[in-house]
Amino acid sequence: RQYSFQVRAINHCDGTDENLSCHGPFSEPRLFTVREPRRPLPPASPERDARTAITGSATVSATVTWTRPIDNGGSPITGYILYMKKPDDSMDSFALGPDASSWTVDDLQAGEIYRFHLVAINAIGRSGNSPVLTLVAAMPPGIDTTSTQTYSTESFRPIITDVKETEMVIEWL
């Protein structure tokens, strides 16, 4: 069903007679469509969060984040299901509330590949699957097991030692 709306201003033109009013022009008509609620659109692809960390000699804790779907289908999101495909092709799922926007999975095996996807749920049903996030259970390069940035120290910074018209020389300590 479609509805058309127009707006216009009405002002008092004379301070002595409040029944006298001036009418402004109508705005351009705007159409709004009202439809029956439906399933939500899928959320965008989940992302790996910076809170991912090596928690033991061979285990990793990974945090996955996501944003709400751009269209809830006309019905509030009531929850999410985060799916995790393990290296052995088995699947785990995590039922999460409507305000959830991240989830941390512990005890992942370091060096293994995990795949995550998400569905949103409203009163009508489940969305389709989000795009898949493929995650290697490891720390990002340049960060050690204590979350210290090892590439930010002076010894890792390049030094420009010579600049010419068509070249430059860069050295590391």
Side-chain angles (χ1 to χ4, degrees), residues 38-68:
R38 60 177 174 70
R39 297 181 318 155
L41 289 179
S45 179
E47 296 179 347
R48 176 186 178 151
D49 189 83
R51 291 174 282 187
T52 297
I54 294 177
T55 55
S57 62
T59 59
V60 174
S61 169
T63 301
V64 176
T65 63
W66 59 89
T67 57
R68 301 177 66 78

Side-chain angles (χ1 to χ4, degrees), residues 1-157:
R1 190 182 277 204
Q2 284 192 333
Y3 297 91
S4 176
F5 290 92
Q6 288 182 294
V7 178
R8 78 175 183 181
I10 300 175
N11 294 308
H12 294 290
C13 296
D14 185 349
T16 59
D17 183 2
E18 61 184 51
N19 292 324
L20 183 61
S21 58
C22 295
H23 299 270
F26 278 101
S27 66
E28 292 293 320
R30 299 286 183 187
L31 289 176
F32 291 90
T33 302
V34 179
R35 59 176 162 74
E36 293 296 318
R38 60 177 174 70
R39 297 181 318 155
L41 289 179
S45 179
E47 296 179 347
R48 176 186 178 151
D49 189 83
R51 291 174 282 187
T52 297
I54 294 177
T55 55
S57 62
T59 59
V60 174
S61 169
T63 301
V64 176
T65 63
W66 59 89
T67 57
R68 301 177 66 78
I70 60 170
D71 182 355
N72 66 6
S75 177
I77 299 296
T78 58
Y80 296 94
I81 301 175
L82 179 65
Y83 293 93
M84 179 181 74
K85 186 174 183 180
K86 297 179 183 179
D88 65 2
D89 287 336
S90 64
M91 186 81 74
D92 282 351
S93 63
F94 308 96
L96 307 168
D99 297 324
S101 61
S102 69
W103 186 253
T104 300
V105 183
D106 296 318
D107 298 324
L108 302 179
Q109 295 304 306
E112 296 292 338
I113 295 174
Y114 295 84
R115 291 178 174 82
F116 296 87
H117 72 273
L118 188 70
V119 297
I121 304 167
N122 69 8
I124 307 305
R126 295 169 36 146
S127 71
N129 293 341
S130 71
V132 174
L133 165 68
T134 300
L135 182 144
V136 176
M139 291 297 291
I143 299 177
D144 66 16
T145 57
T146 64
S147 295
T148 302
Q149 293 189 3
T150 58
Y151 290 164
S152 67
T153 63
E154 287 292 327
S155 63
F156 284 100
R157 293 188 185 151

